[in-house]
Amino acid sequence: MRHLKSFIPIFVYLLFFLSIFISFSSCTKKVEQQSSEFGFSGTIKVSGAWALYPMMVKWGEEFQKIHPNVRVDISAGGAGKGVSDALAGLVDLGMVSREIKQEEIDRGGCFVPVVKDAVFPVINAANPALSYGLAQKGMTRQQFIDLWITGKTLSWGEIVGTELPEKVAVYTRSDACGAAETWAKYLGKMQENLQGIGVYGDPGLAEAVKQDKLGIGFNNLNYAYDMKTGLPVAGLQVISIDVNENGVIDPEEDLSTKSKAIEAIMTGHYPSPPARDLYLLTKNSFQGLTRSFILWILSEGQNFVEEVGYIKLAPTQIERAMQELQ
């Protein structure tokens, strides 16, 4: 009996370390690719963040050109839906535009970063404050906190320092999404703390601000800027953030075009958050065709990132992600 008692702690320790090993290796398990003389075949189902949707559509199209027997089904619906769908086994990959939560990892969530993006404050292009130098002065983080967190009622005149009486109309997202969570994190809170009129989806929020000349909202990179012209989407104006709060938008803070916005992110002059990595998440481990797709995204797929208007990951991030999949 004494020997049995002394064996129990050792057995518990062994189980503990075995569980850690299984958990750690679950995302790195090597699985043979599904290939034949005709290439890969099968269907990859994807859902989730609006922020990653345009990039995934391009990756899906290009991957299917190489492997015509593969079908990539992609639907958007917010990062929360992507995570819940992937962990429930409803899709193979969830698109996520925020940090992965510990409870999601505990439920078997495995993830890799695939590209970089950012969230930007947007106003109506006909906003009356633009005639009083709003574009040149920008807005400060504290003004965003007043509007979205404290719910303070401000006029556009108070924002720009004039007598304009029109009140700011604040919009936010009604769905659980990475853009809202990232924007809230920049303001020091969580998505549920954001004040404003709730609107579903990135396109919906952009449309709401376009319909309200006193409105202010926030959008992901490819919903704030036109993909072809590189200018803000028609009807919108991306408002630059006065990061150093000197009362004027310095050249490195200028977000008037997409190329300038990307430059601000890459040089670190645009805060992070609201700049952030975008992820693909699966349940337990990347396997078979899904794993092959991820490996392609992290290698040849990166050649399409700038074409679609996103920002490449740092080489060290790609190398680390590739190592986890080997």
Side-chain angles (χ1 to χ4, degrees), residues 41-312:
S41 63
T43 300
I44 304 170
K45 295 182 178 179
V46 187
S47 75
W50 289 94
L52 192 50
Y53 178 74
M55 189 70 254
M56 282 301 296
V57 169
K58 180 63 175 177
W59 279 334
E61 291 173 348
E62 296 298 328
F63 193 70
Q64 288 171 141
K65 288 179 183 177
I66 304 170
H67 306 287
N69 294 320
V70 171
R71 178 177 174 179
V72 184
D73 289 339
I74 308 166
S75 62
K81 177 174 172 54
V83 171
S84 61
D85 284 355
L87 294 182
L90 299 177
V91 298
D92 301 295
L93 294 171
M95 300 181 286
V96 189
S97 53
R98 56 163 171 73
E99 295 299 315
I100 309 299
K101 300 175 182 176
Q102 183 59 48
E103 57 263 34
E104 294 163 349
I105 297 173
D106 294 341
R107 292 172 57 198
C110 295
F111 59 95
V112 290
V114 289
V115 75
K116 204 171 181 65
D117 188 22
V119 178
F120 299 94
V122 295
I123 61 173
N124 188 290
N127 188 300
L130 289 170
S131 300
Y132 295 88
L134 177 59
Q136 291 71 39
K137 295 179 179 178
M139 291 180 66
T140 65
R141 180 173 177 269
Q142 184 57 52
Q143 289 174 324
F144 297 136
I145 291 174
D146 288 342
L147 292 171
W148 269 287
I149 304 301
T150 65
K152 191 174 181 179
T153 301
L154 295 176
S155 69
W156 280 108
E158 290 174 290
I159 296 291
V160 79
T162 71
E163 298 298 321
L164 277 174
E166 291 90 347
K167 302 299 182 186
V168 180
V170 181
Y171 291 87
T172 186
R173 290 280 290 275
S174 61
D175 51 313
C177 67
E181 189 158 324
T182 300
W183 186 244
K185 189 174 181 180
Y186 166 58
L187 304 181
K189 295 290 183 179
M190 302 177 69
Q191 179 178 354
E192 51 265 37
N193 301 119
L194 293 178
Q195 307 288 316
I197 302 169
V199 182
Y200 177 79
D202 231 342
L205 187 48
E207 187 62 28
V209 175
K210 282 197 287 185
Q211 298 299 322
D212 186 348
K213 71 176 183 179
L214 303 179
I216 186 169
F218 51 83
N219 281 110
N220 291 304
L221 178 70
N222 285 296
Y223 296 88
Y225 294 97
D226 187 288
M227 193 175 296
K228 294 182 179 177
T229 66
L231 298 173
V233 169
L236 293 181
Q237 174 80 39
V238 176
I239 192 70
S240 297
I241 300 177
D242 183 10
V243 179
N244 59 15
E245 301 189 6
N246 65 350
V248 62
I249 294 302
D250 298 315
E252 60 271 18
E253 297 171 330
D254 186 1
L255 304 176
S256 58
T257 67
K258 189 173 187 176
S259 60
K260 290 180 178 179
I262 291 174
E263 179 70 17
I265 294 169
M266 295 184 69
T267 58
H269 289 100
Y270 193 69
S272 178
R276 86 291 206 201
D277 294 337
L278 304 182
Y279 301 91
L280 288 175
L281 177 143
T282 193
K283 172 79 170 179
N284 292 333
S285 65
F286 294 101
Q287 300 185 38
L289 180 58
T290 300
R291 175 175 171 273
S292 300
F293 186 39
I294 296 288
L295 287 170
W296 179 86
I297 285 174
L298 292 171
S299 51
E300 294 99 311
Q302 291 295 304
N303 295 328
F304 303 99
V305 169
E306 293 179 353
E307 175 185 336
V308 184
Y310 288 80
I311 303 165
K312 288 182 177 180

